[in-house]
Amino acid sequence: MRKLTAGLFMAAAMMTATVASAADPIVVKFSHVVAENTPKGQLANKFRDLVNERLAGKVLVEVYPSSQLYGDNKVLEAMLLGDVQIAGPSLSKFSKYTKKLQVFDLPFLFKDLAAVDKFQQGPVGQKLLMSMKKKGIIGLGYNHGGMKQLSANKPLRTPADAEGLKFRIMTSDILSAQFEAVGATPLKKPFSEVFTLLQTKAIDGQENHWPNIYSKKFFEVQDYVTQSDHGVLDYLIVTSTEFWDSLPDDIRTEMKKAMDEAIAFGNKVAYDQAIEVRKKVEASGRTKVIDLTPEERAQWVEAMKPVWAKFEGEIGKDIIDAAVASNM
Ligand code: LMR
C-alpha cells in the first residue's frame, strides 16, 4: 500500500510538472530603440501592462527599450529568426522588405499628423500593413512619432544654410536624396550613435521628431532646432507571420485588442508631446528654436520636392496620390 501510494504520488508529481511546463506563458519580447517616455516607448509599456494583466499566466510581454536588445537595423532579422516577437522600427527602415512604405519618407508630403492619420487609416494605408506578408512580416498598426524637425550647430532658415553640412539619416535612400537636394551630405547611422556623433561634431546635424530630440538630449548638443515639419517619422508595429499564426485564436484576438489600445494611447502621447516637448526644449535654454516664415519654408519645399519624382516608380503613383489626397 505504501509502495502504491508512493507510486501514485510520483505519477501525480510528474503530471504536475508536465502540466506546469505546458502552461508556461508565451514570452513576447518587444524590442525598440527609443526612450521609454516617448510615444513608442509609452505604447510598448502600455501593451505590456495590458497583456500581462489580461492574459496573466498565458502570455508574458517583456519590453527592451533604448536598443538594449537590438538596434533597428538588426531587429527585423532577429524577429524573423524568432529572437524577438514584436518590433516597431520607423517606417524609414523597411526598404529591404518593401519599397512601398518609402512613401512616408517623401519630404513635405503630409501637412500634419492628422493627414498622416487619414492616410494610414484609409484603404491604401491599411493595405500597406500587409505589404511585407510574403517576407514573413505583418504590420499590426501604425504609431505616430511626430513630424520631423531639423537640428544643427548653425541656424537653418533656408536650404542654402544646410549646404555642405553633414546630417545623420536613417537607412533610407529617400532621406539621402532629400539632403543631397540641398547640397548637404547624408550619413546613414544607427539611432543609438546619434548623440555621440553630434557631441563629438562628427556630424553637423540631424532630423528627428521632438520626443527623440528631447529624450535623447540631442538639443543639448545642437545650438539650433528648426521647426520645419518637413516630413513624418512614424512607426510600423510589426510581428512575424510565423509567430502570429502560431498563437491560439483567443490569445491572438486578445493581443490584437491590447495592441490597438496601446497604439491609440501612444498616438495620443505623440500629439501631446509635439507641443509639450518643444516647450521644454525651449525652456531649457540649451538651444534656440527657429520658426520658419512662409517664404523660408517655401524654399525648402522647392528644393526638396523634386525627390518625389525619383522614387515614384518604386513606390507607386497610386500610393503617393492617396497620401497627397489625405491633406484635403
Ligand atoms: C531614428 O533612427 O532616428 C528613429 O527612427 C528612432 C526611432 O525609432 O524613433
Side-chain angles (χ1 to χ4, degrees), residues 80-98:
L80 289 170
L81 289 171
D83 291 338
V84 161
Q85 284 65 43
I86 299 186
S90 88
L91 289 158
S92 315
K93 296 177 180 171
F94 289 96
S95 60
K96 203 170 144 192
Y97 302 94
T98 176

Side-chain angles (χ1 to χ4, degrees), residues 13-27 56-59 248 251:
M14 275 169 69
M15 261 178 71
T16 315
T18 322
V19 171
S21 74
D24 275 352
I26 300 164
V27 175
K58 294 183 185 163
V59 178
I251 289 189

Side-chain angles (χ1 to χ4, degrees), residues 269-282:
V269 174
Y271 273 101
D272 292 348
Q273 287 198 354
I275 297 160
E276 283 164 17
V277 167
R278 169 184 160 147
K279 284 190 192 142
K280 284 188 189 167
V281 169
E282 277 186 301

Side-chain angles (χ1 to χ4, degrees), residues 79-80 82 84-85 136-138 238-245:
M79 196 180 80
L80 289 170
V84 161
Q85 284 65 43
I137 299 173
I138 291 179
V238 288
T239 186
S240 76
T241 316
E242 199 180 334
F243 168 69
W244 201 240
D245 288 350

Side-chain angles (χ1 to χ4, degrees), residues 33-34 40 72 90 93 168 170 191 208 212 233 235:
V33 299
V34 293
K40 184 167 59 181
D72 264 347
S90 88
K93 296 177 180 171
R168 175 269 174 175
M170 296 180 275
F191 184 61
N208 232 301
N212 278 349
L233 202 168
Y235 307 105

